[in-house]
Amino acid sequence: MWRNPDWSPCRNGPQGLRIGPRAVSLRTVRFLRPIQGSQVLQSILDSAEARQTHGGSEDFLTALLQQTYHDLNLASAVLWQSRSDESALLFRIGAVNPASDERIAVQAVHPGKVLTAASASSVSLSENRLLAASKLAGDLNLVLDVMTEQSVPDHELLLQLADVFADLQRRRMLDRQVAQADKERLLNALVVQLHTSLDSDVVANTVATDAALVLNCRRVSVVRRSGRHWELVATTGISQPNARSDASRQICDWVRQAETAAAKPERSLSETTGEPDFPTVRPLTKSGTWTNVRWSAVFEFDQLVSERFTDADRIGLDRVCHHAALALASCEIQESSTIRGQFGRTIRTLTRPRAGVLLILLSGLVAALVLLPMELRIEVYGKLVPTQRAFVFAPDDGVISAVDVDDGSVVSDGDTLCVLTNEDLEVQRESLDGELASANARLAAIDALRGSRTPGSDNNTALLSAEQAELTERVASLTRQTEILRQRIARLTVTSHQVGRVYGDRLQQLLFQRPVQRGQFLFEVANPAAGWELDLRIPEADVRHVLEAAGRSESELPITYALETSPEMSRETRMKSIGLSTDTDQSGILSTRVSAILSDTEFENERPGAGVVAWIHCGQRSLGYVWFRKLIELIQRHL
């Protein structure tokens, strides 16, 4: 007999059956049938209580089923929860997976009855299968399904055990309902609390603290998108998380990986992250998707909680995420649309412990930008050219019939460069030569007529004198025209006027037999040995700085430059002159020309026109102006 004072004897049972309150209620014991096997039932209950007390980990229902299995020498013991149309397996000891016909037999047994049925999963013909049913609630029954190879247990004992198991299952169901009701109550309170504040930080901390308790999470973290990155806002157990800690970076990395996995649905999250035990990461958006997501939550469950995660738990998690997304959306609308929200957000940011340090650093940075001096250097582009160079243009219209030089050819003064042919000039020359010959012949004839005097020739002499004077002037005019025409024809043979080299790309291919117009550029003749200079172009927006610096300085402005052919070497020189006018460069941009004479003799192997990047030194200005000069000038032009 048990001596536990918490247990009460059964007043309606003829055998005085004693059952502890953790096992079965007195209401159930009253309906136990007065049979002789109640002593066996009491023994099973006592042994199960001892097993449950010493085992500790299993509940009384499992311990009772184990004890029934051993005390009755059963081949298997199964508990079913069934209706007329379906059945569900609750517990199984010593049985193989039940077949479908066994489930049909479970659905056929009625409460208070014991059914003998065949087992499709039996391995021995001598095994007997008994099913005892007890009503749980409504049309839901609990069925005790046992198989034995020895003596068949008393049917009344099986019904008594079924009643006990039914009451224990009702207790489990009631406890589950109470726990679910408590959880629903906490969940409703959490939802109400989420919508009581329009401060996003308060909502995030509510999710991190209260949601962890409601959802039975080990840790809940709320992160917010900052540009292309994520930052930790709140986490369970920490008032102000450190964004630089390894844990914070790990949480943000989980969110980034989950977002990447959502963009590639063909790959699973474990494949993307490489971690099988990846935490639950949810986007806090109204749609529940990762589209335009600004907030996200990371739920970390213990392994035991994850294994017991039910559909109800998943629904609760979805509900928390949905209402958190609605609350955060309301907070963002409040903070972005009202001055009060923006002001409050700024005040909260400044009152944080780290805000003072950030404010001091920001003030120091602003002071450094205003007070620290830095040299203003105007970046310009140009090219390296020889100081002694000449451009060769077409002297007249025509066709280039011969090109006597090539790219890089060395020429001297008077050397032939190319020859042009102009048929119109040749025709004009032939015409002038013919007219000049005709005029000279007529003059000779007049001289002959005047030398032979005949009677009556006085009248003709006056006419001949007038014609001779006219022809004389015509001959002089034709002679001058012929000389000019000969000079034009002579200039068709283009010659060099200095010593140097010819620079031009594919002269033979581009110029031979090519028609050209007068003044058209053909190529360049330069003498690199005579020295080099920089031909730079200052943009119109920057020329004022150079002019101001040149007006303040008593000497030429220093220039630092580097050739594009040798960018690793920096050289220095001084500005020689600056153009007095502004014109368009080759790119069509307004600019001013600046030249600088180079004293270096290291440019013998350089080609004229090599690219140059130069910086004109324009004196000291504040550090902030030098760094943000373009932005300041943009604001000045528009405001």
Side-chain angles (χ1 to χ4, degrees):
M1 180 180 297
W2 291 99
R3 298 180 179 179
N4 192 334
D6 294 334
W7 289 14
S8 302
C10 176
R11 299 180 180 179
N12 296 337
Q15 304 297 329
L17 188 63
R18 293 178 173 84
I19 305 175
R22 288 186 299 172
V24 64
S25 65
L26 292 178
R27 178 177 178 275
T28 301
V29 178
R30 292 191 187 99
F31 292 100
L32 295 180
R33 292 161 179 80
I35 58 174
Q36 296 179 355
S38 59
Q39 290 84 356
V40 178
L41 177 59
Q42 182 65 59
S43 175
I44 293 175
L45 291 173
D46 294 342
S47 301
E49 177 67 18
R51 173 190 289 269
Q52 194 268 341
T53 303
H54 293 88
S57 60
E58 57 186 11
D59 58 0
F60 188 77
L61 189 147
T62 307
L64 182 59
L65 187 62
Q66 290 276 2
Q67 196 63 39
T68 302
Y69 172 77
H70 290 290
D71 289 357
L72 299 183
N73 295 321
L74 302 177
S76 66
V78 184
L79 286 181
W80 300 85
Q81 186 173 288
S82 71
R83 286 187 172 90
S84 59
D85 56 347
E86 62 178 354
S87 60
L89 181 65
L90 296 180
F91 299 97
R92 182 179 67 247
I93 299 177
V96 297
N97 292 329
S100 59
D101 57 345
E102 296 182 0
R103 294 178 179 269
I104 295 175
V106 170
Q107 299 168 14
V109 66
H110 297 284
K113 301 293 184 181
V114 177
L115 178 64
T116 303
S119 177
S121 60
S122 176
V123 297
S124 175
L125 296 176
S126 61
E127 290 183 348
N128 299 307
R129 184 186 183 199
L130 299 176
L131 296 95
S134 179
K135 188 174 182 179
L136 280 176
D139 61 342
L140 187 63
N141 302 324
L142 185 134
V143 179
L144 175 61
D145 184 359
V146 299
M147 293 181 63
T148 179
E149 295 181 355
Q150 300 177 3
S151 60
V152 178
D154 185 80
H155 289 193
E156 296 298 330
L157 177 61
L158 293 179
L159 289 174
Q160 195 79 351
L161 286 170
D163 289 338
V164 174
F165 283 122
D167 188 76
L168 292 175
Q169 180 62 17
R170 277 192 294 270
R171 284 172 174 265
R172 292 167 60 91
M173 294 170 62
L174 180 60
D175 292 340
R176 191 179 299 114
Q177 290 294 332
V178 172
Q180 185 64 29
D182 291 340
K183 188 173 183 179
E184 186 69 20
R185 178 178 56 81
L186 294 175
L187 186 59
N188 292 333
L190 174 61
V191 170
V192 173
Q193 188 176 357
L194 286 175
H195 293 283
T196 56
S197 176
L198 290 177
D199 189 344
S200 58
D201 292 338
V202 174
V203 174
N205 280 282
T206 301
V207 174
T209 55
D210 296 347
L213 177 62
V214 174
L215 301 176
N216 196 18
C217 285
R218 178 171 56 87
R219 183 172 65 181
V220 178
S221 304
V222 180
V223 296
R224 173 175 50 199
R225 183 184 292 280
S226 178
R228 294 182 297 175
H229 304 283
W230 292 93
E231 61 177 359
L232 182 63
V233 178
T235 187
T236 304
I238 300 176
S239 58
Q240 293 181 351
N242 184 8
R244 298 183 178 180
S245 64
D246 294 338
S248 299
R249 294 180 179 178
Q250 179 65 49
I251 291 171
C252 296
D253 189 57
W254 282 337
V255 176
R256 180 185 58 79
Q257 294 177 16
E259 184 180 16
T260 303
K264 299 179 180 179
E266 68 276 2
R267 299 181 61 188
S268 64
L269 188 58
S270 59
E271 291 177 352
T272 305
T273 60
E275 301 179 9
D277 298 330
F278 197 80
T280 302
V281 182
R282 293 292 185 88
L284 299 182
T285 57
K286 296 179 181 180
S287 61
T289 63
W290 288 91
T291 304
N292 299 327
V293 60
R294 284 185 49 82
W295 294 85
S296 180
V298 179
F299 301 89
E300 300 177 56
F301 296 93
D302 293 330
Q303 183 176 2
L304 182 60
V305 177
S306 300
E307 294 175 353
R308 297 179 179 177
F309 208 69
T310 61
D311 293 338
D313 297 330
R314 188 171 291 104
I315 293 174
L317 178 62
D318 295 339
R319 187 178 177 188
V320 170
C321 293
H322 178 69
H323 284 279
L326 295 178
L328 290 173
S330 301
C331 294
E332 290 185 347
I333 293 175
Q334 171 70 15
E335 294 174 355
S336 61
S337 61
T338 63
I339 299 177
R340 179 180 178 183
Q342 295 178 358
F343 181 75
R345 185 176 182 180
T346 303
I347 292 299
R348 287 191 300 272
T349 302
L350 295 177
T351 54
R352 293 177 180 176
R354 290 178 295 177
V357 178
L358 296 178
L359 185 60
I360 294 175
L361 293 177
L362 182 60
S363 302
L365 178 60
V366 173
L369 292 177
V370 175
L371 301 178
L372 291 181
M374 186 177 181
E375 188 172 23
L376 175 62
R377 301 194 309 170
I378 302 300
E379 184 178 20
V380 295
Y381 296 88
K383 54 187 177 180
L384 178 69
V385 296
T387 56
Q388 189 180 98
R389 57 176 178 161
F391 300 103
V392 179
F393 302 95
D396 212 325
D397 297 342
V399 177
I400 299 178
S401 58
V403 181
D404 297 337
V405 293
D406 206 344
D407 186 20
S409 299
V410 178
V411 295
S412 300
D413 189 9
D415 289 352
T416 301
L417 301 178
C418 63
V419 178
L420 280 72
T421 302
N422 191 325
E423 296 180 355
D424 294 337
L425 295 181
E426 295 293 337
V427 172
Q428 292 178 23
R429 186 181 66 175
E430 293 293 336
S431 177
L432 289 175
D433 289 344
E435 292 180 6
L436 183 59
S438 176
N440 288 326
R442 180 61 181 166
L443 285 174
I446 291 174
D447 290 337
L449 290 174
R450 293 181 66 180
S452 59
R453 292 181 175 271
T454 59
S457 60
D458 294 335
N459 295 329
N460 294 330
T461 302
L463 294 175
L464 292 176
S465 297
E467 184 178 1
Q468 185 180 15
E470 180 182 357
L471 289 175
T472 301
E473 291 296 329
R474 180 174 178 78
V475 169
S477 174
L478 290 175
T479 302
R480 289 192 299 271
Q481 294 181 33
T482 302
E483 183 62 26
I484 293 174
L485 188 59
R486 291 182 185 278
Q487 292 177 2
R488 292 182 61 185
I489 294 175
R491 285 199 299 269
L492 292 178
T493 301
V494 182
T495 59
S496 174
H497 299 286
Q498 68 177 35
V499 176
R501 287 180 178 272
V502 177
Y503 294 98
D505 186 24
R506 297 178 298 171
L507 298 181
Q508 296 290 338
Q509 293 84 353
L510 295 178
L511 297 182
F512 183 66
Q513 297 296 333
R514 177 180 178 177
V516 294
Q517 296 179 350
R518 183 176 183 178
Q520 182 175 341
F521 174 76
L522 300 180
F523 44 82
E524 177 184 355
V525 177
N527 185 12
W532 297 81
E533 68 177 356
L534 296 181
D535 186 6
L536 306 176
R537 309 291 297 191
I538 306 177
E540 183 67 13
D542 298 330
V543 70
R544 65 187 183 95
H545 299 291
V546 179
L547 294 176
E548 292 175 359
R552 293 192 305 265
S553 178
E554 298 180 356
S555 58
E556 294 84 1
L557 297 180
I559 297 177
T560 302
Y561 69 96
L563 300 179
E564 294 185 359
T565 55
S566 55
E568 73 283 353
M569 183 179 297
S570 178
R571 299 179 173 91
E572 294 182 357
T573 185
R574 288 189 173 273
M575 185 176 67
K576 175 187 176 184
S577 62
I578 183 170
L580 298 179
S581 63
T582 300
D583 56 359
T584 57
D585 56 11
Q586 296 179 353
S587 303
I589 301 175
L590 289 175
S591 61
T592 302
R593 182 178 180 274
V594 170
S595 62
I597 301 298
L598 305 180
S599 59
D600 296 343
T601 59
E602 304 175 1
F603 305 110
E604 297 180 357
N605 296 325
E606 293 291 343
R607 293 177 56 85
V612 175
V613 180
W615 294 269
I616 302 177
H617 300 260
C618 298
Q620 299 288 330
R621 300 293 293 270
S622 66
L623 181 63
Y625 183 81
V626 174
W627 282 0
F628 304 105
R629 176 173 60 87
K630 296 294 184 181
L631 178 61
I632 295 174
E633 292 176 354
L634 178 65
I635 296 175
Q636 290 175 344
R637 284 194 297 268
H638 290 81
L639 298 181

